Amino acid sequence: MSRYSRITGTGSYLPPHQVTNANLVTQLAAKGIETSDDWIVERSGISARHFAADGVFSSDLALEACKSALQAAHRQPQDIDLIIVATSTPDMVFPSTACILQAKLGASGGAAFDVQAVCSGFVYALTVADALIKSGTARCALVVGAEIFSRILDFNDRSTCVLFGDGAGAVVLEASDTPGILSSDLHADGNHVDLLCVPGHVCGGAVSGKPLLQMAGQSVFKLAVGVLETAARAVLEKAGKTEADIDWLIPHQANIRIMQSTAKKLKLAMDKVIVTVGEHGNTSAASIPLALDHGVRNGQIRPGQTLLLEGVGGGFTWGAVLLNF
Ligand code: ACO
């Protein structure tokens, strides 16, 4: 009998402190930096985002998302034999945020590691977990996206600091006799490292370089629109499906205009796209599982539906996963 992997529960968590565009406009104005709610909404679709409090780490946000996903899957931490955390804002240089999360969950013994593919991280992590389950290496996995991007934002750069937020999302992915994940498609082009990066590193006990996010927004935008269409078509083809089979598109939540453009290219109405960017901002690796859990909990996404998840981000990385929910 073939062995597949299937999502059996979803969860997510946003830190309680919501920062509206109006809050940011006031904060930036105090430094002489001009922005407006109109500009942010019109260019990105973002109205608000959440920022984690001092002393809270990505593993803390991940823990809350995982507790909720485990409850939805009727699983206990002891059932978990694999944890993959997609993050670009780990708690420490090492060990991995996944190991720290494992300890906080009280689920020791299984494999645990992080995946670093920036905003494509969750799609990468889900693909790796699927492969480990299909190969028989793991049986019940937690796949998580968790980020605290507020700590790597340059609040003197109005073109980036208004776009990102903090949060976490998680799924329980289990071995199954029936197909859940149908196909995956992952890519990277390291020639575009400079387009979107945090060019800092730790050296001799100090931070060297500039450990704050910088992005060539327009170039990223153009690349994103092209690769998201290609990745979507690739997973559909691999699974022998067409755009008409998609019940929900759950794209990385970076910019409403990128999502609208992708939907148009795939001939999907926007009412088939889960959109959370307005209230969450861009939460990088956390954005897809946050949007997925949002859609599940508000009743939009139902069991048996076909979901297309896709992400694009720094690296340059991109990818998609097609699945039966
Ligand atoms: N408020 C007011 N004006 C602003 C702001 C701001 N916050 N930021 C920039 N501007 C100004 C610029 O200075 C520029 O002014 P100028 O014309 O006088 O020079 C003008 O607005 C237009 O700026 P653009 O950069 O051309 O604006 P654009 O329409 O391209 O939108 C944005 C910028 C939102 C960043 C867009 O390019 C984008 O979404 N890019 C893609 C981001 C993305 O998808 N990232 C994905 C991965 S994220 C990850 O991996 C971590």
Side-chain angles (χ1 to χ4, degrees):
M1 192 186 289
S2 296
R3 185 174 161 109
Y4 302 99
S5 79
R6 192 171 199 112
I7 292 175
T8 55
T10 67
S12 62
Y13 180 75
L14 291 164
H17 179 48
Q18 190 196 48
V19 178
T20 63
N21 288 350
N23 298 146
L24 269 185
V25 169
T26 309
Q27 191 186 322
L28 295 179
K31 300 191 209 194
I33 299 170
E34 196 187 321
T35 187
S36 67
D37 177 50
D38 284 350
W39 190 95
I40 304 169
V41 171
E42 187 193 311
R43 301 296 174 118
S44 70
I46 298 166
S47 298
R49 72 290 291 144
H50 291 246
F51 284 173
D54 290 349
V56 170
F57 289 97
S58 291
S59 65
D60 297 312
L61 307 187
L63 178 65
E64 298 307 320
C66 287
K67 282 185 192 164
S68 154
L70 285 166
Q71 194 175 36
H74 306 293
R75 287 290 182 188
Q76 301 298 319
Q78 299 84 328
D79 298 325
I80 298 300
D81 59 5
L82 171 67
I83 298 176
I84 308 181
V85 176
T87 187
S88 299
T89 48
D91 291 22
M92 299 183 190
V93 172
F94 71 78
S96 68
T97 303
C99 283
I100 297 167
L101 171 64
Q102 192 203 49
K104 287 182 178 173
L105 274 168
S108 62
F113 60 93
D114 289 358
V115 160
Q116 221 289 32
V118 201
C119 302
S120 313
F122 186 75
V123 167
Y124 267 64
L126 198 57
T127 302
V128 173
D130 173 54
L132 289 173
I133 287 174
K134 280 180 179 152
S135 72
T137 306
R139 192 187 45 76
C140 187
L142 270 169
V143 186
V144 191
E147 301 281 17
I148 302 191
F149 258 54
S150 58
R151 306 236 167 99
I152 54 168
L153 294 178
D154 181 352
F155 285 96
N156 290 310
D157 177 6
R158 66 177 182 173
S159 69
T160 54
C161 73
V162 298
L163 303 174
F164 295 88
D166 305 337
V171 301
V172 175
L173 189 76
E174 299 193 42
S176 163
D177 296 338
T178 53
I181 292 186
L182 303 171
S183 58
S184 302
D185 189 58
L186 301 181
H187 298 277
D189 184 350
N191 290 308
H192 299 301
V193 164
D194 294 340
L195 285 186
L196 177 48
C197 57
V198 178
H201 61 274
V202 175
C203 178
V207 174
S208 197
K210 191 180 174 205
L212 295 173
L213 184 148
Q214 58 189 51
M215 174 167 75
Q218 281 192 5
S219 305
V220 171
F221 193 104
K222 280 180 200 143
L223 276 170
V225 169
V227 297
L228 287 173
E229 182 191 7
T230 318
R233 295 204 183 284
V235 286
L236 288 169
E237 193 180 328
K238 284 182 192 180
K241 306 247 182 210
T242 71
E243 299 99 314
D245 295 310
I246 301 170
D247 290 304
W248 290 105
L249 175 66
I250 309 173
H252 169 48
Q253 308 282 318
N255 186 315
I256 187 68
R257 292 184 294 139
I258 296 178
M259 291 185 254
Q260 286 164 339
S261 168
T262 308
K264 197 170 168 193
K265 286 177 180 232
L266 295 174
K267 298 190 181 65
L268 286 179
M270 279 307 283
D271 62 7
K272 288 201 161 194
V273 184
I274 303 285
V275 177
T276 52
V277 70
E279 295 300 309
H280 298 178
N282 179 346
T283 58
S284 190
S287 94
I288 293 173
L290 262 163
L292 171 64
D293 187 51
H294 178 82
V296 170
R297 284 177 196 267
N298 72 13
Q300 287 173 289
I301 299 172
R302 295 191 304 278
Q305 290 187 323
T306 301
L307 314 184
L308 200 158
L309 282 48
E310 61 174 354
V312 57
F316 209 70
T317 58
W318 66 98
V321 171
L322 189 73
L323 61 91
N324 262 341
F325 187 66

